[in-house]
Amino acid sequence: MNWIANADLKPYNTFGVAVSAQWMVECNSVADIRESIQDERWKTLPRLILGGGSNVLFTQDFDGVVLLNRLKGIELEREDDEFVWVKSSAGVVWHSFVLHCIQNQWAGVENLSLIPGSVGACPIQNIGAYGVEIKDVFFSLDAMHVESGEIRSFDHQACAFGYRDSVFKNEEKGKWIILSVTFQLRKQPLWNTQYGDIQKELERLGYSSPTLVGISQSVINIRQSKLPDPKVLGNAGSFFKNPVIEESLYARVKEEYPNIPSYPAGTGKVKVPAGWLIEQAGWKGFKAETCGVNEKQALVLVNFGKATGSEVYALSTQIVEDIAKRFHITLEREVNIL
Ligand SMILES: Cc1cc2nc3c(=O)[nH]c(=O)nc-3n(C[C@H](O)[C@H](O)[C@H](O)COP(=O)(O)OP(=O)(O)OC[C@H]3O[C@@H](n4cnc5c(N)ncnc54)[C@H](O)[C@@H]3O)c2cc1C
C-alpha cells in the first residue's frame, strides 16, 4: 500500500479537473483499508473516499487524504429457484459487474448498463436509468466505519433509498467506507423495455423479443448516442436532479408553458425533467470559455479541457438562478461538490 503525496487527481475524476490531493492511498484489500484508517494522516486530515470519480466536481485542491477503493471480486452467495444473491466488492467497475451478471443470466441490472463508476458508489445516490434503480435489486451492503473500523451490514431499509438519495448522502454521510454490495437478482427476467427508446432499439438490432444481452446492448447504444464520453469531453453525467415540485406550482408553470412534461412523484407532487427546463431556458449547447452545457443533453455540463471546478460550479449557479427566475423551481445539484 502506497501513500502518494501531492497526488494528481485529474485522472481520477471524469470531469477531468486538474487538482491535487495532499495524500492519496490506494486500497486493494480490506486489510489495506483497516491499516489506512489507523494512519495518523487519515485520523487528522479531511477524508474522501473515491471510486471512479464520476460523480464529483473538485472546486479546489483536496487538503486531506483521498482513499481509492479498489477492492475486487464478485461471488455468488446463495440461490433459490427464483433468485440469486450476488456479492460484489466495492472497487469493481459497475459496468463490468453488469456484464458479469448478463453472462451468468442473472437479471435486474441490464437497464443500468454503462453507468460509469464503481459498485461501492452505486447505493450512495441509488443510481438509476431506464426505469430501474439500485433499490430494485439491492439486498444489503457491508461498510467499515471511517473512525472506529467497525464493520456493519446495512439492509434495504437502513439505506433509506430515495430518488438519487440514500442515508449515505444524509445522516451517515462521510461515516462509512462501503466494502461490498449484495444484490438480489432474478433467474427469470422481468423485462423493463418501456422506458426511453429501448423497445425501438431492440427492434433495430433485430431482437423480436427481449434478451439480457439485447437490452444491455440497446441501453449502451442509446447512452452512447446521447451522452458525451468523459474520456473525450469531461463530465459527470446529469449535473442536476429532476426537481420534484408541488402540483400547484406545476399548474402555474403549465399555464405559461403548456408543453412542460411531468411524471407522478407521490401525493400532490410531480417530477419535472431538469433537462427540459434548462433547454427551454436556452442553455442547451451554451459555451463559456472553458466549459459549457452539452449540445445533445442539456442536463450535462462539460469541461472543454481546461476548466477549473470553480468555473463549472459558477456556470451551474448561473443555470440554477436562471431556472429559479423563469420557473420558480429550484434545481438541486446531483454531483457531489468538493
Ligand atoms: C457519462 C456519465 C453518465 C452517468 N449516468 C448516470 C446515470 O444514468 N444514472 C446515475 O444514477 N448516475 C449516472 N452517472 C453518475 C455516476 O456514474 C454514479 O453516481 C456512480 O455511482 C458514481 O460512481 P463512482 O465510483 O465514480 O463514485 P465517485 O464519483 O468516486 O464518488 C461519488 C460519491 O460516493 C462516495 N463513494 C464512492 N465510493 C465509495 C465507497 N466505496 N464507500 C463510501 N463512499 C464512497 C464518494 O465519496 C462520493 O461522495 C453518470 C456519470 C457520468 C460521467
Side-chain angles (χ1 to χ4, degrees):
M1 207 182 33
N2 202 6
W3 285 73
I4 301 165
N6 290 322
D8 176 12
L9 290 180
K10 192 171 177 184
Y12 297 96
N13 73 97
T14 62
F15 249 119
V17 165
V19 282
S20 63
Q22 192 177 346
W23 292 101
M24 183 167 83
V25 58
E26 185 172 324
C27 294
N28 296 298
S29 65
V30 175
D32 280 357
I33 296 182
R34 202 170 274 294
E35 199 182 316
S36 300
I37 71 166
Q38 281 157 5
D39 190 285
E40 226 21 58
R41 289 165 284 193
W42 179 263
K43 285 186 177 165
T44 52
L45 295 169
R47 318 160 176 130
L48 176 69
I49 303 140
L50 216 49
S54 64
N55 200 20
V56 290
L57 176 66
F58 287 102
T59 57
Q60 54 193 325
D61 289 335
F62 190 73
D63 292 327
V65 180
V66 169
L67 186 153
L68 292 178
N69 187 319
R70 295 293 182 257
L71 308 188
K72 289 284 158 33
I74 303 173
E75 60 180 288
L76 172 61
E77 281 213 310
R78 64 192 163 99
E79 60 187 303
D80 65 14
D81 290 347
E82 219 179 327
F83 295 106
V84 288
W85 283 262
V86 183
K87 183 175 187 168
S88 170
S89 293
V92 171
V93 170
W94 171 256
H95 185 59
S96 39
F97 173 73
V98 172
L99 294 180
H100 182 86
C101 294
I102 291 169
Q103 236 167 34
N104 286 282
Q105 294 294 309
W106 299 331
V109 287
E110 57 283 356
N111 289 46
L112 303 176
S113 295
L114 212 62
I115 297 183
S118 60
V119 166
C122 77
I124 296 199
Q125 72 152 3
N126 179 25
I127 60 168
Y130 296 95
V132 176
E133 290 177 311
I134 279 304
K135 71 169 174 53
D136 304 325
V137 289
F138 178 92
F139 184 70
S140 68
L141 64 80
D142 289 338
M144 186 187 288
H145 193 271
V146 291
E147 282 166 7
S148 68
E150 170 208 353
I151 293 185
R152 176 175 153 193
S153 187
F154 287 75
D155 64 10
H156 203 289
Q157 202 185 355
C159 290
F161 291 119
Y163 163 60
R164 297 294 177 277
D165 203 21
S166 76
V167 74
F168 301 104
K169 292 191 88 173
N170 298 293
E171 300 93 283
E172 303 294 344
K173 190 175 168 147
K175 294 187 190 161
W176 298 94
I177 302 167
I178 296 176
L179 304 174
S180 65
V181 183
T182 301
F183 301 88
Q184 184 176 353
L185 302 167
R186 289 182 176 273
K187 291 185 170 174
Q188 290 301 323
L190 285 181
W191 304 121
N192 198 332
T193 58
Q194 301 314 311
Y195 209 94
D197 291 333
I198 297 183
Q199 191 61 47
K200 222 193 283 173
E201 185 60 16
L202 272 173
E203 281 160 26
R204 200 188 67 81
L205 291 173
Y207 288 92
S208 50
S209 53
T211 65
L212 293 180
V213 171
I215 292 196
S216 176
Q217 194 54 53
S218 301
V219 169
I220 290 171
N221 292 355
I222 298 166
R223 291 182 70 96
Q224 283 177 336
S225 72
K226 285 192 173 162
L227 289 168
D229 179 353
K231 289 195 195 95
V232 181
L233 204 54
N235 75 89
S238 304
F239 199 89
F240 302 101
K241 293 186 191 183
N242 291 322
V244 174
I245 60 172
E246 299 291 332
E247 260 171 7
S248 52
L249 172 58
Y250 176 72
R252 285 205 302 280
V253 179
K254 201 172 164 66
E255 277 171 25
E256 202 178 332
Y257 299 90
N259 296 331
I260 183 170
S262 71
Y263 307 93
T267 320
K269 307 253 185 201
V270 288
K271 192 189 278 182
V272 176
W276 187 90
L277 298 170
I278 297 168
E279 191 174 342
Q280 285 299 304
W283 288 98
K284 193 173 179 182
F286 174 83
K287 286 190 170 72
E289 207 173 308
T290 57
C291 56
V293 180
N294 187 233
E295 48 209 14
K296 288 193 208 154
Q297 172 52 270
L299 207 45
V300 178
L301 302 193
V302 291
N303 173 5
F304 296 132
K306 296 232 158 46
T308 62
S310 308
E311 286 165 340
V312 176
Y313 186 78
L315 171 60
S316 75
T317 303
Q318 274 181 280
I319 295 173
V320 170
E321 287 173 359
D322 190 36
I323 299 301
K325 208 165 70 195
R326 284 172 198 264
F327 302 100
H328 308 287
I329 294 176
T330 308
L331 288 184
E332 207 183 309
R333 293 172 182 86
E334 178 178 314
V335 173
N336 297 281
I337 310 296
L338 293 159

